Amino acid sequence: MTPIDLNADLGEGFGRWRLTDDERLLSVVTSANVACGFHAGDAVTMRRVCEQAAERGVRIGAQVSYRDLAGFGRRPMDVPAAELTAEVAYQIGALEVFARAAGTRVSYVKPHGALYNRVVHDAGQAAAVVDGVLLADAGLPVLGLPGSRLLELAAEAGLPTVTEAFADRAYTDRGTLVPRDQEGAVVTDPDTVVARSVSMARLGEVDAHCGARIRVRARSLCLHGDTPGAVDLARRVREQLRLSGVRVEAFA
């Protein structure tokens, strides 16, 4: 059975404000998607999370975003391709400084929020993200939704690609995520999240929002760090995966 990686969005604070319980989540996940300052995060936060991740052997990923602190990177934006390319590379570079200072490095890239959803279908924005990754480091894996334009173009450019599934997000019957402004987009029942995690890891299947059973094959499973009770839920997921015979290990 293919092993599964557990990733979570971390470092999503700014100044005195903190959203995620980074230290406790880093004791559970194998990969950390670290906010790089555009949707959340700042220099002190990035440095702290990189140090804590390095201490625990957790892989560090650059979670790049549209420049949207006020909207937490979840508002749709139209950014010229050249600008988006430069800003993606900028974010990766900023995080790389702190990762190297902690004795490790940035191991992969994952878009956040509105950018993540946009590059599923938008070839222009996806190409700009790919160009930004290439500008920063032509060997960095890209983590994204199976079947997305982002992963398609990244593979064509020679970048390693890694597919991702979401334990706590509802899916459409086409395998895309239900938009957050729709009812039921976020799965909140802990037992359901745990059951979905095991199903996706063992069978590559999950029930879509409409009730249909769909294929969702992924090497990494995302657990959102801003979900209420995120740490306890992540621990339950990891333990149930172990009991189900699924090996949990980083992809990078």
Side-chain angles (χ1 to χ4, degrees):
M1 186 181 299
T2 302
I4 195 78
D5 168 73
L6 290 181
N7 77 75
D9 302 345
L10 301 179
E12 292 184 328
F14 193 82
R16 298 178 61 184
W17 174 69
R18 292 192 188 184
L19 177 63
T20 50
D21 190 342
D22 299 326
E23 188 168 6
R24 294 174 66 204
L25 279 167
L26 284 167
S27 68
V28 183
V29 300
T30 48
S31 297
N33 317 315
V34 183
C36 299
F38 272 39
H39 74 280
D42 54 28
V44 172
T45 302
M46 285 190 283
R47 182 180 184 183
R48 182 183 66 248
V49 175
C50 285
E51 290 173 346
Q52 292 173 346
E55 289 173 359
R56 293 162 176 78
V58 175
R59 302 297 187 269
I60 294 171
Q63 188 159 43
V64 298
S65 171
Y66 287 128
R67 188 189 292 270
D68 181 26
L69 276 175
F72 197 61
R74 288 180 175 164
R75 296 184 293 190
M77 302 183 74
D78 289 310
V79 179
E83 183 177 338
L84 182 57
T85 291
E87 292 190 338
V88 166
Y90 179 93
Q91 292 175 78
I92 297 169
L95 188 63
E96 179 71 8
V97 168
F98 299 117
R100 287 191 178 274
T104 183
R105 58 165 307 208
V106 171
S107 296
Y108 64 95
V109 177
K110 173 185 173 178
H112 165 81
L115 181 58
Y116 187 98
N117 292 320
R118 181 73 171 266
V119 297
V120 171
H121 304 292
D122 190 318
Q125 294 283 275
V129 171
V130 169
D131 287 343
V133 177
L134 291 170
L135 184 59
D137 183 341
L140 280 176
V142 176
L143 180 62
L145 203 67
S148 65
R149 297 306 305 273
L150 174 66
L151 294 192
E152 176 188 340
L153 294 174
E156 290 177 1
L159 292 169
T161 60
V162 183
T163 53
E164 176 182 39
F166 291 82
D168 52 8
R169 287 295 310 278
Y171 280 84
T172 71
D173 58 0
R174 295 185 177 183
T176 57
L177 300 179
V178 173
R180 279 183 174 270
D181 60 359
Q182 293 186 20
E183 185 177 354
V186 179
V187 181
T188 57
D189 178 67
D191 292 337
T192 302
V193 173
V194 172
R196 284 162 55 93
S197 300
V198 173
S199 177
M200 288 189 281
R202 285 187 57 84
L203 305 175
E205 297 179 347
V206 71
D207 291 331
H209 195 48
C210 65
R213 194 75 167 167
I214 62 171
R215 302 291 288 174
V216 182
R217 289 199 173 274
R219 175 63 177 84
S220 186
L221 185 65
C222 180
L223 297 166
H224 282 94
D226 59 348
T227 301
V231 176
D232 290 338
L233 180 57
R235 286 175 176 159
R236 282 191 59 190
V237 167
R238 180 155 186 167
E239 177 63 9
Q240 195 58 48
L241 288 171
R242 184 188 69 81
L243 293 173
S244 301
V246 179
R247 189 168 76 256
V248 177
E249 64 179 41
F251 62 81

